[in-house]
């Protein structure tokens, strides 16, 4: 199964993904879909390097696939990390619910 490499950016805790240029991005649709063991090993090395440099924490591969030309995260937990909560909450949620 293909993988995407994810982590949390150390400065603000944002969920980030490794893109094809080796840059961490918050846009999951820009994530590099890793389809070979060699590509996954290269991303793991980039993740270890970014952790050592204190750019990100907890870098790890997640299952993903290509659907309709876009990266699709196969685990529900990872889709929540990428897109946010599945329920309305807090003052923003109350305002949206009242509208």
């Amino acid at each position: 199964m293909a993988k995407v490499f994810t982590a949390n950016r150390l400065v603000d805790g944002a969920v980030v993904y490794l893109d094809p240029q080796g840059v961490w991005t918050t846009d999951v649709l820009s994530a590099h879909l890793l389809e070979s063991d060699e590509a996954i090993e290269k991303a793991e090395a980039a993740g270890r390097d970014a952790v050592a440099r204190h750019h990100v924490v907890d870098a790890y591969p997640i299952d993903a696939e290509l659907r309709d030309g876009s990266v699709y995260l196969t685990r529900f937990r990872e889709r929540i990390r990428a897109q946010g909560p599945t329920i309305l909450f807090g003052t923003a949620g109350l305002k949206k619910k009242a509208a």
Side-chain angles (χ1 to χ4, degrees), residues 12-98:
D12 60 5
V15 177
V16 290
Y17 305 91
L18 196 60
D19 77 4
Q21 288 75 42
V23 176
W24 295 96
T25 177
T26 57
D27 181 11
V28 68
L29 298 177
S30 298
H32 186 195
L33 190 64
L34 308 162
E35 299 184 283
S36 70
D37 290 342
E38 182 181 348
I40 294 169
E41 288 171 13
K42 210 172 178 178
E44 286 173 337
R48 283 191 303 271
D49 182 61
V51 169
R53 294 174 181 260
H54 305 290
H55 293 164
V56 300
V57 293
D58 198 23
Y60 60 94
I62 57 176
D63 294 339
E65 60 188 36
L66 198 59
R67 282 195 189 174
D68 299 324
S70 296
V71 171
Y72 178 79
L73 305 177
T74 58
R75 293 193 62 202
F76 187 59
R77 175 189 187 277
E78 295 301 337
R79 289 197 302 276
I80 292 172
R81 282 184 73 232
Q83 300 165 357
T86 58
I87 60 169
L88 300 175
F89 71 97
T91 53
L94 290 174
K95 288 178 185 174
K96 194 171 186 179
K97 192 173 183 178

